[in-house]
Every structure is written in C-alpha cells, then in structure tokens.
C-alpha cells in the first residue's frame, strides 16, 4: 500500500512520517497487548497515562525544554490560542505588542484587540507579507505584557530567521508550521504554541509550552477551557485530552529522534528548501513570492504570473504524483509545503517536474 503513496505538499493537515503511520496501523486494534485501540482507552488508564507522559518527555528532550516550563496538550486549535493568549497574559499591563507578518498573526492581532490595547509592532502588509521585518524596524512598547509573533507564515511562505529581542517583555510565538524543524532556544520564550497538524501529528491537538509564572493572571471572564492555570493544575486533563493525537505525536517524535532530532530536521529542511528555491530561481518561468532573506524552509510559494499556466502546473503535477500544490487564494500561484516528513526524494522529483515544465512553456 505504501508504494502507492503520493508526495503530498498540503499545507495542513499534511504528510506524516510513513513509519509513524505504519506503527499506528499495526497497533490500531490492539495497542501493545492492552487488547484495545488507543482510541478506545480511558484517558486516565495506566496504559494511556504512560503514553501521555512518554510523549511529554520526548518533546521536552527533543526541544530541550527547560524544567521551569510546562507542556500542555490542548484541543483549542492554534486559532483558539489567538484568544487564550490575551485572556491569560494581557492582564499584567493591559497592553501587548503584535508583529503582523501574515494571515494568522493578523487574525491573532484582530482577536487580541478585544481584550486590551494592542500595539502594532510591525506590519508587512505593505508588500503583501513577502518579507520579515528586521529587529531595528520593530516598534516595541516597554510596558507591553508580551510580544506576539508567528515564526513561519504558512500562507505567504516567509520565516523569521532570528528571535526578536524584546528585553524583559515575554515572547509569545505561534510555531504551528515550523516547530521541530530547527533547534530553538526555548528559554528565550514565555510561550511557544503550535497546532499539531503541520509538523507534529493529526489535527486536533494544540501544544502549548509555557514558562512557569506566566499563568494565573487571566482576565476574570476567561473561559474555563482557555485558562492556562486550570490546565497546568490538571496536567492538561481537566477534561478528555485529544488522546489519539497525543499518541500519534509520540510516534512522530520517535521518528524525529531516529532522524537526528531537531538538528537533523534542520539539515533536511534546508536541503529540501534550497533545492527547490535554486530550481525556481534558475527557471525562466517561475518567481517566488517571498523575498530573499525571508524565505521559509517549510512553505515555498511561487507562481508563473499567468493564472491559467499556474492551474495547468498544479493539475499536471498532481498527475505526476505531486499533489496539493495549489497556493492559497491570498497569494495565488503555487505553494509547496515541505514539512519535516516530506522525503527529500519528493522534492527532488518536484524539482525535475519544475525544470521540465519550465522548458516546455
Ligand atoms: C494552520 C495555522 C494556524 C491555524 O491552525 P488551526 O489549528 O486550524 O486553528 C495558525 N497559525 C499558523 C502559523 C498556522 O500555520
């Protein structure tokens, strides 16, 4: 069955490591002698609690998460965190800084405005979010409760290549589409969060990594399920956590570990991305949306400049086994999402296809 798999360039949910899928398949009706599927277990059973704990431990190890950070496994979707973050954090000063560099940070910014005074620290909308602002360009408020940004812009295909310097203001980062793709100094952050369906697991799990001391000052009307302190106190089990996704995350983390951890992922990331950007840059036909120096290693956005030709590219690529290359309507053209689990051979094949298409048009 696995040899009929396509190269899936979807932005999310997206391709997962084959070994994790096969492992899940082999355990699907009887998880390691328990006589039942992980889908059927009580979240409070010993066998599931072990999965839960091991998955947390693996993530802590792989990301070198310091001991004074909690790891939460939530169900809010990344979008739920657009609300949870201001609700939990803005109470300190009533203000926050937001860098808007794409679709999801713009949504987070709009949502945060309901709860306090939000300073637009940067806005790259002037050039259709094709670049990342440099540190000197960030307009910082010294009494912001936190500084918010999104480290990889999934739709526009740009990625921050530095961690913003904000003094004593805690950093909050949406890493949904590049978490685990590179080693990260977690100690620089107040909160890192990510929806799982890009680089970690199936949709339904949201991982929040939060430094001790940040929770517990939520606005009084914070919904119960968005209260970080509640989830910390209950170790993410105030209610039923997304058990299956947590199990799948564990299997994906095994694969990350077997492939050199986040350093190994980073090597593969730029091997894939550089190959693709070099091919596009060398072509006559294609241009990239993201400016050089801001290009994402995870989502490569490009176009021919002719909508009909773009559509033809997407269609013919799919026939050749490279699927889900249609770009988001905000950028048009094409987008190749090349997350951790995308095999290098998939990108090699896509590059060959691009070269042939370029030659023929
Ligand atoms: C996909 C994505 C989101 C939205 O995730 P949901 O889980 O669908 O809410 C938010 N931020 C980024 C960077 C994303 O890539």
């Amino acid at each position: 069955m696995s040899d009929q798999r396509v190269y899936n360039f979807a932005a999310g949910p997206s391709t997962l490591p084959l070994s994790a899928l096969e492992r899940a398949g082999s355990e699907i009706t009887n998880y390691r002698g328990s006589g039942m599927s992980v889908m059927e277990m009580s979240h409070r059973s010993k066998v599931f609690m072990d999965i839960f704990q091991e998955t947390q431990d693996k993530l802590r190890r792989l990301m070198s998460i310091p001991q004074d950070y909690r790891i939460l496994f939530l169900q809010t979707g990344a979008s739920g965190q657009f609300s949870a973050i201001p609700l939990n954090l803005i109470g300190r000063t009533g203000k926050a800084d937001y860098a808007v560099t794409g679709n999801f940070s713009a949504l987070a910014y709009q949502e945060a405005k309901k709860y306090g005074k939000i300073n637009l620290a940067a806005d790259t909308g002037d050039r259709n979010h094709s670049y990342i602002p440099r540190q000197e360009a960030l307009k910082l408020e010294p009494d912001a409760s936190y500084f918010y940004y999104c480290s990889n812009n999934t739709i526009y295909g740009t990625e921050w290549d530095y961690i913003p310097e904000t003094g004593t203001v805690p950093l909050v980062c949406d890493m949904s589409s590049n978490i685990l793709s590179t080693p990260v100094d977690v100690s620089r952050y107040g909160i890192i969060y990510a929806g799982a369906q890009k680089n970690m697991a199936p949709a339904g799990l949201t991982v929040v990594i939060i430094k001790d001391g940040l929770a517990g000052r939520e606005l009084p009307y914070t919904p119960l399920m968005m209260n970080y302190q509640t989830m910390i106190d209950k170790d993410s089990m105030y209610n039923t956590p997304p058990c299956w996704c947590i199990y799948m995350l564990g299997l994906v983390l095994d694969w990350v570990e077997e492939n050199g951890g986040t350093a190994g992922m980073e090597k593969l990331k730029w091997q894939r991305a550089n190959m693709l950007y070099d091919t596009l840059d060398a072509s006559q036909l294609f241009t990239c949306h993201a400016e050089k120096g801001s290009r994402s290693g995870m989502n490569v956005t490009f176009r021919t400049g002719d909508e009909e030709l773009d559509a033809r590219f997407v269609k013919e690529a799919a026939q050749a086994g490279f699927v889900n290359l249609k770009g988001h309507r905000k950028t048009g053209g094409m987008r190749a999402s090349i997350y951790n689990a995308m095999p290098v051979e998939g990108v090699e094949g896509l590059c060959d296809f691009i070269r042939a298409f370029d030659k023929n048009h």
Side-chain angles (χ1 to χ4, degrees):
M1 214 172 91
S2 55
D3 47 304
Q4 287 157 28
R5 279 172 64 82
V6 290
Y7 290 115
N8 176 12
F9 293 89
S14 44
T15 198
L16 287 165
L18 186 58
S19 65
L21 294 174
E22 285 176 339
R23 182 75 190 254
S26 74
E27 295 176 338
I28 199 150
T29 58
N30 185 352
Y31 174 77
R32 303 184 198 178
S34 66
M36 62 181 92
S37 173
V38 174
M39 286 187 245
E40 302 171 300
M41 294 174 179
S42 164
H43 56 296
R44 308 217 181 263
S45 62
K46 163 104 175 58
V47 57
F48 183 75
M49 291 297 271
D50 287 348
I51 294 173
F52 186 94
Q53 192 56 49
E54 280 165 22
T55 306
Q56 268 199 359
D57 293 348
K58 281 183 229 175
L59 188 63
R60 191 177 290 279
R61 193 162 65 235
L62 278 165
M63 289 184 69
S64 308
I65 299 172
Q67 286 307 316
D68 58 338
Y69 284 73
R70 297 307 109 212
I71 300 170
L72 303 178
F73 291 147
L74 307 180
Q75 302 212 35
T76 60
S79 304
Q81 295 303 307
F82 301 167
S83 319
I85 285 157
L87 282 163
N88 283 275
L89 299 190
I90 210 165
R92 198 166 61 82
T93 67
K95 299 180 189 173
D97 282 349
Y98 274 67
V100 172
T101 58
N103 177 64
F104 294 110
S105 47
L107 295 173
Y109 166 70
Q110 289 302 336
E111 179 65 10
K113 283 202 286 187
K114 293 181 186 168
Y115 304 111
K117 190 167 172 293
I118 308 300
N119 167 50
L120 199 51
D123 181 1
T124 54
D126 58 336
R127 297 206 298 274
N128 199 18
H129 301 304
S130 58
Y131 68 102
I132 295 298
R134 303 320 302 172
Q135 172 74 42
E136 314 78 71
L138 302 177
K139 296 186 210 76
L140 304 174
E141 285 283 349
D143 63 341
S145 297
Y146 61 94
F147 175 98
Y148 180 100
Y149 78 112
C150 174
S151 53
N152 184 74
N153 298 290
T154 320
I155 289 177
Y156 295 92
T158 59
E159 184 170 11
W160 292 64
D161 66 348
Y162 71 101
I163 300 177
E165 185 52 68
T166 57
T168 57
V169 174
L171 271 180
V172 173
C173 186
D174 177 357
M175 290 194 188
S176 293
S177 52
N178 68 350
I179 194 163
L180 291 168
S181 73
T182 188
V184 167
D185 181 358
V186 176
S187 73
R188 296 276 307 272
Y189 291 89
I191 291 180
I192 290 169
Y193 77 92
Q197 69 272 22
K198 276 77 185 225
N199 236 349
M200 292 198 288
L205 166 66
T206 306
V207 175
V208 175
I209 300 162
I210 178 168
K211 190 175 164 76
D212 284 346
L214 274 182
R217 275 180 290 192
E218 69 282 352
L219 298 176
Y221 45 83
T222 301
L224 174 63
M225 289 297 296
M226 286 202 172
N227 187 330
Y228 290 143
Q229 194 59 54
T230 303
M231 287 303 184
I232 291 168
D233 293 343
K234 299 288 183 186
D235 201 8
S236 306
M237 292 225 194
Y238 176 82
N239 70 326
T240 317
C243 302
W244 173 257
C245 298
I246 293 166
Y247 159 72
M248 283 302 301
L249 173 59
L251 299 185
V252 171
L253 294 178
D254 288 341
W255 175 86
V256 172
E257 200 145 46
E258 284 155 18
N259 287 275
T262 53
M265 293 299 108
E266 183 180 44
K267 224 171 123 221
L268 288 170
K269 171 184 185 175
W270 293 111
Q271 192 182 339
R272 284 186 302 257
N274 289 336
M275 198 191 325
L276 194 44
Y277 286 120
D278 287 349
T279 303
L280 292 166
D281 287 342
S283 78
Q284 301 286 310
L285 196 56
F286 299 98
T287 51
C288 294
H289 178 75
E291 295 176 12
K292 280 188 181 157
S294 298
R295 290 170 165 183
S296 167
M298 298 270 101
N299 309 96
V300 177
T301 45
F302 59 103
R303 58 173 81 87
T304 65
D306 173 342
E307 280 181 32
E308 261 173 51
L309 204 52
D310 286 346
R312 199 151 138 199
F313 177 93
V314 171
K315 190 167 159 238
E316 289 178 13
Q319 285 161 355
F322 308 106
V323 309
N324 289 321
L325 282 162
K326 188 172 183 329
H328 192 276
R329 64 188 182 285
K330 292 198 164 156
T331 49
M334 282 72 75
R335 170 176 53 177
S337 295
I338 47 174
Y339 298 121
N340 282 354
M342 172 56 65
V344 171
E345 304 82 71
V347 177
E348 281 168 352
L350 178 62
C351 288
D352 288 341
F353 181 84
I354 289 171
R355 277 188 287 269
F357 195 91
D358 183 49
K359 209 165 127 213
N360 298 333
H361 293 88

